Amino acid sequence: MSLFEKTATELLALQAEGKASAVEVADAFLAAYSAREPKLKSFMLSPDPDAVRRRAAEIDAKRKSGRPLGKLAGVPVAVKDVLCTKGVRTTCSSKILEHFVPPYDAHVVERLAAEDAVIFGKTNMDEFAMGSSTENSAYHLTRNPWDTERIPGGSSGGSAACVAGCQAPVSLGTDTGGSIRQPAALCGIVGMKPTYGRVSRYGLVAFASSLDQIGPFAHDTRDCALMMEAIAGHDDRDSTSVNRPAPEYTKTVDQPVKGLKIGVPREFFGQGLDAEIEGAVRQALKEYEKLGATLVDVSLPHSPYALAAYYIVAPAEASSNLARYDGMHYGHRTTEKGDLIATYSKSRAEGFGKEVQRRIILGTYVLSSGYKDAYYVKALKVRRLVKKDFDDAFEKCDVVMGPTTPSAAFKAGEKSDDPLALYLSDVYTVSCNLAGLPGMSIPCGFTKSGLPIGLQLLGAPFSEEQLFRIARMYESVTDWHTKRPKV
Amino acid sequence: MSLSIDQVRKVARLARLELSGPDLARMQQQLSAILDYIELLNKLNTDGVEPLAHPLPVQNVFRPDEEAPSLPPDAALQNAPNRVGDYFGVPAVFSDEPVSH
């Protein structure tokens, strides 16, 4: 296996044993990036070769000097272009932020630097993280490494494609309604959306503030745990960041959970689920039974309503968050002369893409006088019912499992004219965000045509440590996570 | 539920988005389809259910009122579309003409 196909954990071991330097690792990924980027187009901003090598050389020098090294020493990490990077453009794949250069780093970017990671470019995404295919990027399409005719999922499609396509060993994405788990499933890698509040959102460009969380993509659960160990923890610059210690996830990841009870919600196996996806997920559940787990029938009776509630709550919060883009302090300002209101309206119309405009208008409508109770408040009531379903389910089981997506990766352009059809691909992932739970997707097979399938694991709040252990149990008896596409 | 073109135009104005005629028509059709789907929620009786705005119990977080470094003016102004000295240059907020909203 080539250096660029290895996991972060393997790369750390090679460096510790003196078998590879951080500069050699960086060069391997820079070469893989250059060779594959014309096909995949995972990146919004390419990694700067000089900056990457300089940073890697610093880590090598630090190692040589005998100073203590961070948990991610010399590991390249690609970062979704919705996370602020000081002095490096952060566009959210939007024209409105085309030239925006943040004056500070996001908390997670600071954490990566503190753990001696090598920041490796900014990845492409659906504009402002609104989408499920990365086709809403204002710049270019990203391709699925398993079949470049197909989309990688979204909105963190670039972060998923670059790890699946071995252009970076690990990356960061964000998940508001499935934007980490869905692309992880469609690209055949591991992705985690942490409990709301587990990871600081400081420096994350806001989409829907009560739903957004930052989380990692990796080839396997061990790497995912390693990344979470680096980014989780309290930060007083995000008032929703939870002040409780973050466990050392890598210490326990290899310990199987004894007497594991898996909740299987009947609502996740109904109409609309592709037969091949269902087959692979059922097979994965059988593997868990062989490992001694018990399957428990659970019901999430309000899950059929979760998606509709989500598409009220998320656009409502987005319409409020995106009001800040008015062309006054930063971002695009129209060159047309006009009064203040005209300048706002023109700048926003020129700077935002179609899907972002659609969600701003939908969000403004459901919050507007006369409609707020019928839509927004109604959705918040449903949100409570969705959360209660999970509280009840976790009385009976340790984890809820099901498919991450109803079907495998679709072809680029297939759903781009039908927003509602695209929204439906989030049907299994949104309830986790509404309830604030941690969730993962891990690879559990392929369709006959060779497209990856994801198994979704949902846990009680702050059960990340246990989710990692449960996911690792499956990896110990399967090899899906070791597969790499031929790009 | 379907939205009229006038409703879409009104909401676009509230959202400070200037939409052209064809964009308004497409937006009307797509938003109506989404709202039709959202109607599903009306099948659910939510009488007596408390709205949940936030997944975890949140409370105000206080910190001591202490002096700390803030963004230097040059950094704060580095992305300004129109920097005028140490200020953001903006169109006139008040004009002599009455403004219709």
Side-chain angles (χ1 to χ4, degrees):
Chain A
M1 197 181 255
S2 312
L3 211 49
F4 63 88
E5 291 180 311
K6 293 195 182 297
T7 65
T9 303
E10 289 167 342
L11 295 170
L12 287 169
L14 286 171
Q15 291 181 72
E17 292 159 11
K19 289 180 183 157
S21 67
V23 170
E24 282 164 357
V25 169
D27 280 335
F29 281 98
L30 285 169
Y33 160 77
S34 299
R36 294 169 167 215
E37 187 61 3
K39 281 187 198 154
L40 300 181
K41 304 194 80 138
S42 312
F43 287 81
M44 179 58 222
L45 269 84
S46 51
D48 171 358
D50 293 337
V52 165
R53 285 201 192 94
R54 207 179 315 124
R55 177 72 178 141
E58 277 171 28
I59 313 289
D60 283 335
K62 193 171 176 182
R63 185 183 297 279
K64 218 169 162 187
S65 76
R67 277 178 289 159
L69 290 160
K71 293 177 198 294
L72 292 168
V75 174
V77 182
V79 175
K80 188 177 181 180
D81 203 27
V82 71
L83 294 164
C84 285
T85 41
K86 188 177 180 178
V88 176
R89 253 181 345 127
T90 299
T91 69
C92 298
S93 292
S94 178
K95 291 286 182 196
I96 213 161
L97 288 177
E98 183 169 6
H99 305 293
F100 177 65
V101 179
Y104 60 88
D105 277 324
H107 175 77
V108 290
V109 172
E110 287 178 357
R111 288 296 312 132
L112 293 177
E115 297 296 349
D116 292 328
V118 177
I119 305 290
F120 198 79
K122 305 290 293 286
T123 59
N124 195 30
M125 55 187 278
D126 284 300
E127 184 178 359
F128 283 103
M130 296 178 191
S132 310
S133 65
T134 312
E135 291 168 293
N136 293 334
S137 166
Y139 297 90
H140 56 257
L141 297 185
T142 293
R143 304 294 178 161
N144 191 310
W146 293 95
D147 177 353
T148 53
E149 295 282 296
R150 290 171 190 272
I151 56 94
S155 66
S156 312
S159 289
C162 76
V163 172
C166 301
Q167 296 176 298
V170 285
S171 66
L172 285 182
T174 58
D175 190 315
T176 304
S179 286
I180 290 174
R181 289 159 290 149
Q182 185 254 23
L186 301 191
C187 288
I189 56 172
V190 174
M192 165 171 269
K193 179 246 168 223
T195 308
Y196 187 82
R198 179 70 290 178
V199 176
S200 166
R201 292 178 294 114
Y202 177 78
L204 159 64
V205 178
F207 161 12
S209 306
S210 81
L211 305 165
D212 296 341
Q213 268 292 288
I214 302 163
F217 287 97
H219 290 296
D220 67 16
T221 298
R222 192 194 283 264
D223 274 13
C224 193
L226 174 68
M227 285 288 285
M228 272 298 288
E229 207 170 292
I231 62 170
H234 182 243
D235 170 27
D236 59 17
R237 296 169 298 183
D238 170 3
S239 63
T240 63
S241 160
V242 174
N243 196 355
R244 57 192 280 170
E248 287 185 273
Y249 302 109
T250 53
K251 291 255 162 73
T252 55
V253 66
D254 286 310
Q255 298 169 7
V257 175
K258 292 208 175 70
L260 177 65
K261 277 192 232 151
I262 301 173
V264 184
R266 59 192 89 118
E267 293 83 4
F268 281 17
F269 293 87
Q271 206 190 347
L273 177 61
D274 182 278
E276 280 191 278
I277 307 280
E278 176 166 5
V281 170
R282 298 260 186 220
Q283 189 56 43
L285 293 173
K286 279 194 193 123
E287 292 294 338
Y288 272 106
E289 281 186 301
K290 281 191 225 159
L291 289 164
T294 315
L295 303 187
V296 186
D297 183 30
V298 297
S299 178
L300 302 169
H302 297 96
S303 55
Y305 303 96
L307 192 71
Y310 174 83
Y311 276 98
I312 293 174
V313 173
E317 294 189 21
S319 71
S320 168
N321 273 324
L322 271 63
R324 73 190 67 182
Y325 303 101
D326 58 4
M328 295 299 121
H329 301 93
Y330 53 87
H332 173 75
R333 184 189 294 183
T334 186
T335 53
E336 281 188 37
K337 294 272 176 252
D339 65 16
L340 190 67
I341 304 288
T343 305
Y344 289 159
S345 304
K346 199 92 193 159
S347 300
R348 289 162 64 77
E350 290 170 359
F352 289 135
K354 290 281 172 277
E355 178 62 21
V356 174
Q357 295 191 18
R358 202 149 42 224
R359 296 210 197 181
I360 289 173
I361 290 190
L362 181 60
T364 305
Y365 177 68
V366 299
L367 287 174
S368 64
S369 171
Y371 298 97
K372 187 177 145 231
D373 287 341
Y375 290 109
Y376 183 64
V377 176
K378 177 83 182 181
L380 293 186
K381 290 178 176 180
V382 176
R383 185 176 189 177
R384 180 171 302 276
L385 296 173
V386 168
K387 185 175 191 303
K388 188 172 180 303
D389 283 354
F390 280 105
D391 293 344
D392 294 346
F394 290 127
E395 297 277 312
K396 293 198 270 180
C397 62
D398 305 303
V399 62
V400 164
M401 286 194 198
T404 309
T405 61
S407 54
F410 50 88
K411 287 191 172 155
E414 204 175 298
K415 298 185 182 181
S416 49
D417 278 341
D418 187 354
L420 189 58
L422 195 57
Y423 293 176
L424 291 172
S425 64
D426 300 337
V427 67
Y428 300 129
T429 49
V430 294
S431 42
C432 163
N433 301 74
L434 289 171
L437 309 174
M440 281 183 87
S441 182
I442 61 173
C444 72
F446 290 86
T447 63
K448 282 191 211 79
S449 53
L451 299 171
I453 299 172
L455 173 71
Q456 183 171 225
L457 289 69
L458 301 172
F462 303 103
S463 68
E464 285 87 353
E465 185 179 33
Q466 181 171 264
L467 279 183
F468 287 139
R469 292 168 60 197
I470 296 169
R472 192 71 185 156
M473 288 165 73
Y474 181 71
E475 285 180 356
S476 70
V477 293
T478 55
D479 64 355
W480 308 115
H481 62 286
T482 65
K483 307 283 186 205
R484 305 286 185 266
K486 288 189 185 69
V487 181
Chain B
M1 188 190 140
S2 65
L3 282 174
S4 68
I5 285 274
D6 277 346
Q7 277 176 306
V8 179
R9 189 179 290 120
K10 183 182 169 218
V11 177
R13 196 165 62 235
L14 289 174
R16 304 289 186 246
L17 274 174
E18 188 185 287
L19 294 186
S20 66
D23 282 346
L24 275 174
R26 191 165 53 235
M27 197 72 87
Q28 178 207 15
Q29 180 233 323
Q30 288 171 337
L31 288 177
S32 297
I34 296 166
L35 288 175
D36 279 344
Y37 174 71
I38 287 172
E39 287 293 303
L40 174 71
L41 295 185
N42 291 332
K43 288 190 187 162
L44 194 62
N45 184 347
T46 53
D47 290 350
V49 179
E50 267 297 294
L52 178 74
H54 217 272
L56 299 177
V58 280
Q59 60 238 352
N60 278 330
V61 179
F62 297 100
R63 62 170 170 76
D65 186 15
E66 285 165 358
E67 220 175 280
S70 54
L71 221 49
D74 275 338
L77 287 156
Q78 72 186 22
N79 290 291
N82 178 21
R83 179 177 176 172
V84 183
D86 272 355
Y87 299 94
F88 294 95
V90 301
V93 176
F94 301 106
S95 66
D96 297 337
E97 301 289 314
V99 181
S100 65
H101 293 285

